Amino acid sequence: LGTVGHLVELFLESLIKILHWIIAIVPLAVFGIVASIVGTEGFAPFKALGIFVVSVLLALAIQAGYYLLRIRFGSWVRPGELLRGGRDALVMAFSTASSTATMPVTYAALKDRVGLREQSASMGALVGANFNNDGTALYEAMAALFIAQMVGMDLSFQQQLLVVLTSIVASVGAAGIPEAGLVTMTMVFTAVGLPVQYIPVLLTVDWFLDRCRTAINVMGDMNVSCLLDGKQRG
């Protein structure tokens, strides 16, 4: 058992070392892909990337407004109270880009500062954080449509519907860690035949958009908790 345990330990150490090497060369790989695109197509795709960023931010803002409207008419919590009580969770979600790391802060904010019942707070903050990733679903669908336009691929209505459905499924399976959406995005691209080699182009702006959509994911968890708590304060 001692020898086997030592071999397992060596294997894990080697695996971690290899992962560190991969992480170290990812920026170089992204630079190479971006340089290749600039060399063949110029800077036009990156000008369009600016419009894509603005579009995603606008869509996320609309989604946040929808959440606040649902909370206003579907629960006893007022939107202003939720934003004040949950600001620590939203700020942490934006700063860490991880809904998993934000879970305890979200739970504490909903229970102690907003005043929700423990059952409602735990269901939305702890369970919802693993399955309720609306911001990620929205981003992956918009990213697929953006890349399709960039490469000149005309998606039919059925393909666009497939993008939406696979984005929802992929977002449920996305881990609550930074950049996890880019991993599950390959499933969305593959479903409609989009070239996955263009995904690294999104890495140039994803570090910022990831933080924004994580904040929306956390707001979605808060929305679920408030709706579960009902229209009468417990």
Side-chain angles (χ1 to χ4, degrees):
L1 289 177
T3 304
V4 173
H6 182 64
L7 290 175
V8 171
E9 185 177 348
L10 285 176
F11 172 76
L12 291 176
E13 290 179 357
S14 301
L15 182 61
I16 292 174
K17 191 69 174 179
I18 293 172
L19 289 175
H20 285 169
W21 290 343
I22 294 173
I23 292 172
I25 65 174
V26 162
L28 296 176
V30 173
F31 175 79
I33 293 173
V34 170
S36 174
I37 293 174
V38 171
T40 56
E41 302 181 31
F43 287 97
F46 296 95
K47 293 178 182 177
L49 202 59
I51 300 176
F52 169 70
V53 170
V54 174
S55 300
V56 171
L57 293 178
L58 179 60
L60 292 175
I62 293 173
Q63 191 167 6
Y66 170 68
Y67 285 151
L68 295 177
L69 282 175
R70 288 187 67 188
I71 291 169
R72 173 63 180 83
F73 295 105
S75 74
W76 62 266
V77 182
R78 292 298 172 260
E81 296 175 359
L82 178 70
L83 293 176
R84 285 191 296 271
R87 65 177 179 270
D88 289 345
L90 295 175
V91 169
M92 185 168 183
F94 183 84
S95 60
T96 62
S98 171
S99 56
T100 300
T102 312
M103 275 196 299
V105 180
T106 306
Y107 172 73
L110 290 173
K111 182 174 177 292
D112 300 330
R113 301 187 65 174
V114 179
L116 300 184
R117 289 189 291 266
E118 182 178 358
Q119 297 90 332
S120 303
S122 61
M123 182 63 71
L126 306 182
V127 179
N130 294 304
F131 300 101
N132 185 35
N133 298 314
D134 296 340
T136 301
L138 183 148
Y139 172 75
E140 292 189 354
M142 292 188 68
L145 296 177
F146 166 72
I147 294 297
Q149 291 180 343
M150 192 177 79
V151 300
M153 182 176 176
D154 187 19
L155 297 179
S156 65
F157 176 76
Q158 290 80 4
Q159 287 177 309
Q160 293 181 41
L161 183 60
L162 184 59
V163 165
V164 173
L165 294 176
T166 52
S167 296
I168 294 173
V169 174
S171 68
V172 172
I177 58 175
E179 312 293 347
L182 289 177
V183 178
T184 57
M185 195 181 294
T186 56
M187 183 176 76
V188 180
F189 277 47
T190 304
V192 292
L194 286 172
V196 295
Q197 61 265 30
Y198 280 89
I199 291 179
V201 174
L202 300 172
L203 275 171
T204 56
V205 295
D206 191 71
W207 63 272
F208 173 68
L209 294 178
D210 186 24
R211 298 171 186 274
C212 297
R213 66 178 182 265
T214 301
I216 294 299
N217 288 341
V218 171
M219 183 179 284
D221 300 336
M222 293 179 172
N223 169 66
V224 171
S225 292
C226 291
L227 294 177
L228 288 174
D229 216 52
K231 293 188 176 182
Q232 297 295 327
R233 186 165 191 168

